[in-house]
Amino acid sequence: MRIGVVSDTHDRQEAVAEAVRLLLEQEVELILHCGDIESPETVRAFKPVPTHFVFGNWDKDKVRLAAAIKDAGGTHYDSFGALTLTDKRIAWVHSHERHQLRQLENADYFDYVFYGHTHVREQHRTGRTLVANPGALFRANPKTCIVLDLATGEIKPIIIPTKPPGGHAATPHAATAALDDGTGSIVMPPSVLPDAPIPPPASS
């Protein structure tokens, strides 16, 4: 079984549509969203794939988002989600409340823990648990999500083109337009999560 993991979509609907298309090409059966969705319109882009959402600090109207998720055939969790898939225990969280990530990571219970919020793709291991951030579809360069193959344990990054073929750059959402200078810079450094060390970049 393959699953996709995305985070911090922040209403970039064209990027979301392209991410969903690319994840379908990878034959994912399910998507986990690590929060900062922002609007019901973004939720609807995930309708082609069963998607499980947690809420982030930018997800202000949880009632409308929860209704949209239900309408799209998805599932929502408030602060963190947990599933068992093919005998693997998986949790995901936004991580703006840092203690939640630390508790999940150090519980010695989960095989995988995914988190968002930093807009920085990384992965590391804590004991039995592989911890990974899929990156973001907003203010990240490059914009990324990931695919996890539960049979092999392989995690594959997927790069989302800034402008999908034949498309145009997404129009910034009013609430976050001021934050997006179009350069794909990082919202906050990984040091926000001091207990989640960032490994050095792999040599290419």
Side-chain angles (χ1 to χ4, degrees):
M1 181 180 186
R2 292 181 177 181
I3 67 172
V5 186
V6 303
S7 190
D8 296 276
T9 49
H10 287 284
D11 251 3
R12 271 36 188 196
Q13 292 172 36
E14 290 188 23
V16 170
E18 183 68 358
V20 171
R21 185 186 72 79
L22 292 172
L23 289 171
L24 284 170
E25 281 188 356
Q26 295 292 317
E27 300 180 340
V28 303
E29 299 177 44
L30 178 146
I31 294 175
L32 305 180
H33 193 305
C34 296
D36 279 2
I37 311 155
E38 287 204 43
S39 80
E41 288 73 25
T42 296
V43 169
R44 293 181 191 113
F46 288 93
K47 195 168 185 178
V49 189
T51 303
H52 294 250
F53 299 81
V54 294
F55 294 137
N57 54 300
W58 277 91
D59 296 323
K60 308 297 186 185
D61 195 340
K62 292 182 175 64
V63 173
R64 288 183 66 225
L65 286 171
I69 291 166
K70 182 178 179 181
D71 288 345
T75 306
H76 79 276
Y77 307 74
D78 188 22
S79 58
F80 77 94
L83 289 171
T84 300
L85 301 170
T86 65
D87 297 325
K88 300 296 183 182
R89 295 167 175 164
I90 302 169
W92 68 107
V93 66
H94 188 59
S95 88
H96 59 298
E97 296 179 355
R98 288 175 284 175
H99 69 281
Q100 288 182 322
L101 176 61
R102 289 196 294 268
Q103 288 172 352
L104 294 169
E105 178 175 351
N106 293 297
D108 195 34
Y109 177 81
F110 294 102
D111 296 289
Y112 299 95
V113 170
F114 299 106
Y115 72 98
H117 189 56
T118 66
H119 295 224
V120 179
R121 185 174 68 83
E122 72 90 24
Q123 67 185 56
H124 63 275
R125 184 170 289 279
T126 298
R128 65 172 290 172
T129 305
L130 195 148
V131 183
N133 186 320
L137 301 188
F138 166 66
R139 288 198 67 154
N141 190 8
K143 295 173 172 60
T144 59
C145 57
I146 57 177
V147 173
L148 166 63
D149 187 323
L150 287 168
T152 65
E154 177 190 13
I155 290 182
K156 178 181 179 179
I158 305 295
I159 296 175
I160 312 303
T162 302
K163 294 183 181 180
H168 303 283
T171 302
H173 184 273
T176 52
L179 297 178
D180 190 359
D181 58 10
T183 62
S185 54
I186 295 167
V187 165
M188 60 185 63
S191 59
V192 170
L193 298 170
D195 294 330
I198 308 299
S203 57
S204 54

